[in-house]
Amino acid sequence: MIHQYKSEGLFNRTIARLEIDRKSMKRQLCQDTKDLGRQRRATARSSLDSNRKYLFEQLQQYLELSARRLQREIQRLGYRVVTS
């Protein structure tokens, strides 16, 4: 029924008032037509990426480590803290 309303030229908001929530309706239209609409952006690289493996290893080995202590450890390894 949603596709019929859409082919008749009704706006998404109007269709949503008649049938279902606007977001659910848009999701259904996108899935049915294989048009994903806006796609999720790729995750930006973090400045911690180069130290991620080390951080996970330390947390697995020493569960009681604080974030402050981990920060000091990676600074010792060359990580620069950026403050805004």
Side-chain angles (χ1 to χ4, degrees), residues 5-82:
Y5 290 143
K6 193 69 175 170
S7 66
E8 291 174 6
L10 291 176
F11 295 107
N12 290 354
R13 184 172 290 196
T14 307
I15 297 170
R17 286 187 193 140
L18 297 172
E19 292 285 325
I20 57 175
D21 180 65
R22 188 172 31 161
K23 292 178 186 175
S24 300
M25 187 223 30
K26 184 177 179 182
R27 189 176 331 114
Q28 183 177 353
L29 282 171
C30 288
Q31 286 176 350
D32 290 347
T33 61
K34 300 294 182 191
D35 174 25
L36 299 178
R38 284 188 283 164
Q39 293 181 351
R40 193 174 285 206
R41 286 191 297 180
T43 306
R45 288 192 44 87
S46 169
S47 58
L48 289 173
D49 283 347
S50 59
N51 296 301
R52 188 175 305 273
K53 184 178 177 184
Y54 174 78
L55 291 171
F56 281 121
E57 288 172 357
Q58 292 301 305
L59 284 171
Q60 286 176 346
Q61 193 171 2
Y62 308 103
L63 296 175
E64 69 281 350
L65 277 178
S66 67
R68 187 67 141 172
R69 176 65 189 261
L70 285 171
Q71 181 184 13
R72 282 190 299 231
E73 289 290 320
I74 61 174
Q75 279 178 321
R76 186 177 53 79
L77 296 172
Y79 174 74
R80 288 189 349 218
V81 177
V82 179

